[in-house]
């Protein structure tokens, strides 16, 4: 299978991002805690060179928590304010507000040193598709529902969510539409990992190929998980395992042969919904 992102999309994405970032002090990047490498586009480091950076590992409920802790440490060492959340849980957003404030304080001090006072810190969510940007913004807008409307000097139609002012009176405005980054298919592993978690359009995918690779990964890194979940002892050969799964789940084609596409779909669906457990694909 070959994964790619069309260059036309990329140029446009870069242009849009560059425009949007002009308005922004603080870039809040969302990544997927199961694939903290492949769900990021390192290009953002160049695009957001002068900005303060927060990196959120989202969908932490679907990842291995010890591994997530290691990733947080690693990214903190690289200079990001980092935390892990489940964006579907509104009560987890308090921690994000706290971190945004902390990062915003850095900006406030920078401004103060240049004699600028009480200017709100403007923040924006960015990330590749499907990392949870909309979910995050919706949860956030729910908690901090005061929308501030259009402002002079701000692109028409942009809406900001104002976070309550901190003790020092400085406010933080979050742009309510996320910036969309494109995945970086530097090597095929990136595409493979994105496809495993369901972040690549299904029409581009041959499910059985994807599932065979996933079976190999699971057999190598999480021995026992297939037996535990599906109740059969998997054989060594991954095609055979897919056939075993097909018969365990009654996936037969018209001629009575095992329907491998169907079995693959079941495996992928279980994996993508963390029914096989909270598994981090990319270790720190
Ligand atoms: P995007 O804007 O970055 O493209 O992502 P979006 O918010 O649309 O989220 C993509 C999917 O991920 C959604 O599921 C969303 O509910 C889910 N999601 C977001 N954050 C989390 C999280 O922290 N944990 C878990 N487990 N899931 C999360 P969906 O199946 O596409 O839609 P639905 O189930 O919400 O209807």
């Amino acid at each position: 299978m070959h994964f790619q992102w069309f260059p036309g999309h990329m140029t446009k994405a870069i242009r849009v991002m560059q425009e949007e970032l002009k308005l922004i002090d603080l870039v809040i990047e969302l990544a997927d805690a199961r694939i903290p490498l492949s769900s990021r586009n390192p290009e953002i480091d160049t695009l957001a060179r002068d900005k303060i950076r927060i990196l959120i590992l989202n969908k932490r409920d679907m990842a291995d928590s010890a591994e997530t802790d290691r990733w947080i440490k690693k990214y903190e060492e690289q200079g990001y304010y980092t935390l892990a959340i489940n964006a579907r849980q509104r009560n987890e957003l308090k921690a994000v507000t706290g971190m945004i404030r902390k990062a915003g304080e850095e900006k406030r001090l920078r401004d103060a040193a240049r004699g600028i006072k009480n200017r709100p810190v403007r923040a924006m969510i960015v990330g590749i598709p499907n990392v949870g940007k909309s979910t995050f913004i919706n949860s956030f807008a729910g908690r901090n529902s005061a929308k501030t409307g259009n402002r002079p000097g701000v692109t028409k139609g942009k809406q900001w969510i104002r976070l309550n002012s901190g003790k020092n009176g400085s406010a933080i405005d979050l742009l309510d539409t996320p910036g969309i980054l494109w995945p970086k298919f530097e090597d095929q592993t990136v595409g493979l990992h994105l496809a495993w978690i369901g972040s690549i359009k299904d029409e581009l995918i041959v499910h059985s190929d994807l599932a065979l690779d996933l079976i190999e990964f699971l057999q190598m890194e999480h021995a026992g998980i297939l037996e535990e979940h599906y109740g059969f002892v998997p054989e060594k050969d991954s095609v055979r395992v897919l056939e075993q799964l097909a018969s365990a789940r009654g996936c037969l084609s018209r001629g009575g042969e095992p329907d491998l596409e169907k079995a693959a779909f079941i495996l992928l669906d279980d994996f993508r919904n963390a029914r096989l457990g909270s598994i981090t694909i990319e270790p720190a």
Side-chain angles (χ1 to χ4, degrees):
M1 234 175 307
H2 189 78
F3 303 100
Q4 64 170 335
W5 182 267
F6 303 108
H9 286 146
M10 203 151 89
T11 327
K12 180 155 185 259
I14 290 179
R15 227 178 19 238
V16 170
M17 188 65 60
Q18 276 169 335
E19 274 310 304
E20 306 224 289
L21 284 173
K22 283 183 189 158
L23 308 171
I24 298 301
D25 309 301
L26 171 64
V27 172
I28 304 167
E29 182 187 354
L30 257 65
D32 190 303
R34 291 167 293 176
I35 49 170
L37 277 183
S38 298
S39 61
R40 298 192 61 215
N41 184 334
E43 207 83 41
I44 188 69
D45 288 337
T46 314
L47 289 167
R49 193 166 45 240
D50 320 321
K51 316 289 174 184
I52 300 164
R53 305 285 299 279
I54 291 179
L55 179 59
I56 294 179
L57 300 178
N58 190 36
K59 308 197 186 185
R60 74 175 184 100
D61 53 306
M62 300 175 107
D64 179 295
S65 57
E67 206 58 68
T68 301
D69 287 344
R70 283 191 278 277
W71 272 112
I72 291 178
K73 201 157 164 264
K74 192 163 186 158
Y75 278 126
E76 276 173 351
E77 282 164 9
Q78 292 176 27
Y80 301 94
Y81 292 92
T82 315
L83 85 172
I85 62 164
N86 171 353
R88 284 172 159 173
Q89 298 291 329
R90 286 206 174 161
N91 57 7
E92 298 203 5
L93 296 182
K94 240 191 172 146
V96 183
T97 315
M99 186 155 281
I100 294 179
R101 270 194 205 306
K102 211 161 113 187
E105 181 62 10
E106 189 183 324
K107 169 69 185 161
R108 197 185 66 80
L109 291 174
R110 276 194 210 171
D111 278 354
R114 291 159 52 208
I116 305 168
K117 265 197 211 151
N118 288 337
R119 198 173 70 69
V121 172
R122 288 172 303 192
M124 176 182 173
I125 303 292
V126 304
I128 67 166
N130 208 38
V131 287
K133 298 179 296 299
S134 318
T135 309
F136 176 83
I137 290 174
N138 285 340
S139 302
F140 222 81
R143 268 183 67 87
N144 308 277
S145 52
K147 294 219 169 166
T148 55
N150 295 335
R151 299 268 174 84
V154 162
T155 316
K156 215 172 167 200
K158 292 221 181 291
Q159 297 280 324
W160 299 85
I161 300 159
R162 160 105 3 138
L163 306 186
N164 298 331
S165 299
K167 278 186 227 109
N168 49 36
S170 62
I172 294 170
D173 288 345
L174 176 69
L175 194 60
D176 81 340
T177 44
I180 300 173
L181 294 168
W182 57 103
K184 183 164 182 165
F185 297 125
E186 205 163 44
D187 61 52
Q188 290 298 294
T189 320
V190 172
L192 193 64
H193 291 177
L194 286 166
W196 282 352
I197 67 163
S199 285
I200 288 182
K201 279 207 185 77
D202 261 5
E203 12 342 338
L204 304 176
I205 286 167
V206 182
H207 286 108
S208 49
D209 287 354
L210 201 57
L212 291 175
D213 287 329
L214 180 58
I215 288 169
E216 275 170 26
F217 165 79
L218 291 173
Q219 294 283 69
M220 199 132 71
E221 304 292 335
H222 299 274
I225 218 167
L226 292 173
E227 181 176 358
E228 192 184 311
H229 192 76
Y230 297 113
F232 60 81
V233 182
E235 293 182 28
K236 256 212 161 73
D237 177 60
S238 47
V239 178
R240 270 299 297 142
V241 177
L242 207 50
E243 287 170 355
Q244 287 179 294
L245 177 58
S247 42
R249 289 298 165 101
C251 309
L252 296 176
S253 61
R254 280 213 194 125
E257 297 289 309
D259 186 337
L260 298 190
E261 264 310 280
K262 214 175 204 170
F265 189 81
I266 290 177
L267 174 68
L268 288 167
D269 193 58
D270 285 344
F271 183 76
R272 288 169 178 174
N273 289 292
R275 288 192 284 269
L276 302 183
S278 300
I279 294 175
T280 300
I281 298 168
E282 295 170 350

